[in-house]
Structures are given as structure tokens and as C-alpha cells.
Amino acid sequence: MTFAAVNGAIERIVPPLAAELSPVRVNAVAPGAIDTPWWSFLPDDAKETQFAAAAEGLPAKRIGRPDDVADAIRYFIGSA
């Protein structure tokens, strides 16, 4: 999936940026599948089937929500 490649690139750039910009803190949020309107290209039953299969391999056993991502970003902003 495209977002897997993008997230991989984000994760790889954080350590060198942190070293380069020290003492400035560098964080990244690289979410996986998030239940947003982006998935509207799939029929509802196909989307639910894909989400259920993906959720099985996740620790939380569910697909993320936009609020999950926003909470992670709020956490990083608050801990700066």
C-alpha cells in the first residue's frame, strides 16, 4: 500500500533529523489504516471485510480512527 511506503520513509528520516536538529525534539506520527472517507472507493461490505482482516493483526484488534491520530499528535505537541 502507498501509505506503508510513505510511513516507512517518515520513520527512516526521524532519527537522522533528530541527530541533526538536536537539541530540538523530532517526532513523527505514521498511522496505518485509519477509518476515514478515503476508503469510500470500496463498497461498505468490502471495506468491512478488509478492516476486519487487518484488525486481526493489530494489538488493539481494531482499525484506527481519526481521533486516534489527533490524540497522538496532541501528545507530542504537549510534551515538547
Side-chain angles (χ1 to χ4, degrees), residues 4-30:
V6 171
N7 285 345
I10 290 169
E11 290 174 14
R12 293 289 297 157
I13 199 166
V14 169
L17 277 176
E20 182 72 24
L21 298 174
S22 179
V24 174
R25 182 179 296 185
V26 177
N27 292 309
V29 175

Side-chain angles (χ1 to χ4, degrees), residues 17-69:
L17 277 176
E20 182 72 24
L21 298 174
S22 179
V24 174
R25 182 179 296 185
V26 177
N27 292 309
V29 175
I34 303 296
D35 190 1
T36 64
W38 184 85
W39 293 96
S40 65
F41 69 90
L42 288 175
D44 287 341
D45 57 336
K47 181 177 101 169
E48 293 307 316
T49 300
Q50 183 163 344
F51 279 5
E56 284 300 310
L58 300 173
K61 300 295 184 203
R62 67 174 180 80
I63 294 299
R65 297 181 305 257
D67 285 348
D68 298 326
V69 178

